Amino acid sequence: MRATIPDAAIQAIIGAGRRMDRFHWVPATAGNFSVRLPGGRVAITRSGQHKGFLGPDSVMVVDLEGRPEDPALRPSAETLLHCGIYRRFPEAGAVLHGHSIANTVLSRAAGDSIALAGYELLKAFPGLPTHEASVAVPVFGNDQDIPRLQAVVDSRWDGLASIPPGYLIRGHGVYVWAPDMDAALARLEALEFMLECEMRERRS
């Protein structure tokens, strides 16, 4: 029997997919989204779903270790990265993962981070009330071994005094989180705008 999922969580995930699809940030079946539920549960997109055409049956539930409540359903391949964010950041209520051209191109050429400075939209990140600031967005090497990748991410957080609400996986995509889906979408759009600016500036 399919686990009960609050309709608000389902609609938030469906809406995120349509919004990100309009920006071409989730081509083919790329990307995955999730919402934290009470009781250590996570509503997340199922594997192999086009995110611009999600429906109620495109969403399933896992626990914070990534185990499906319904073993007949398969979650997104990177579910453990979502779970790692929820375990690490109690304030995280929604996680978005997308694959834009800008984040893919820039992450392939980057070192351990991408510096963003002087942008008005830096104010979309917590603790940055002015554009007169800078953020180093972490970049991690791509790895198909997701538990190993999550361990690398956790290790990086241990060494940072301030953690930006997002990171890139080299040549793969971006992860952003926030207290709720609307805030996560706002942060993602701000970050993608700045990355697009960086990409165009570096080409000029």
Side-chain angles (χ1 to χ4, degrees):
M1 181 176 179
R2 191 163 76 93
T4 302
I5 308 173
D7 187 63
I10 292 174
Q11 294 307 316
I13 288 172
I14 290 173
R18 291 174 179 169
R19 188 165 166 181
M20 290 174 65
D21 183 48
R22 288 199 298 271
F23 289 109
H24 308 292
W25 292 342
V26 281
T29 60
N32 36 71
F33 325 130
S34 66
V35 172
R36 189 197 294 269
L37 303 177
R41 304 168 76 223
V42 175
I44 192 165
T45 45
R46 293 173 58 186
S47 180
Q49 305 283 311
H50 190 295
K51 305 311 179 295
F53 303 98
L54 298 174
D57 289 337
S58 304
V59 182
M60 59 179 293
V61 173
V62 299
D63 65 16
L64 287 176
E65 301 300 324
R67 294 180 292 253
E69 286 190 351
D70 183 344
L73 302 180
R74 186 161 65 98
S76 290
E78 292 122 0
T79 292
L80 291 180
L81 298 179
H82 290 250
C83 294
I85 291 168
Y86 291 125
R87 291 195 304 267
R88 183 84 185 202
F89 306 107
E91 72 279 11
V95 177
L96 295 169
H97 171 48
H99 297 241
S100 74
I101 292 174
N103 72 49
T104 302
V105 170
L106 289 176
S107 66
R108 282 167 58 92
D112 290 339
S113 64
I114 295 174
L116 301 174
Y119 289 104
E120 186 70 18
L121 283 175
L122 282 171
K123 293 188 289 188
F125 287 179
L128 298 177
T130 172
H131 70 281
E132 294 178 345
S134 64
V135 168
V137 181
V139 179
F140 297 95
N142 199 2
D143 192 339
Q144 298 305 301
D145 186 324
I146 302 302
R148 183 169 60 197
L149 176 55
Q150 181 57 47
V152 172
V153 172
D154 279 332
S155 176
R156 181 86 167 266
W157 296 156
D158 290 338
L160 294 179
S162 177
I163 301 174
Y167 64 83
L168 302 178
I169 300 175
R170 196 178 317 282
H172 182 147
V174 64
Y175 275 86
V176 169
W177 59 92
D180 56 46
M181 186 61 83
D182 286 345
L185 284 163
R187 288 180 185 174
L188 178 64
E189 289 187 13
L191 177 57
E192 288 291 356
F193 175 86
M194 291 183 282
L195 292 174
E196 178 76 18
C197 289
E198 287 288 315
M199 184 175 70
R200 294 190 184 195
E201 190 172 278
R202 294 179 190 190
R203 284 179 172 174
S204 62

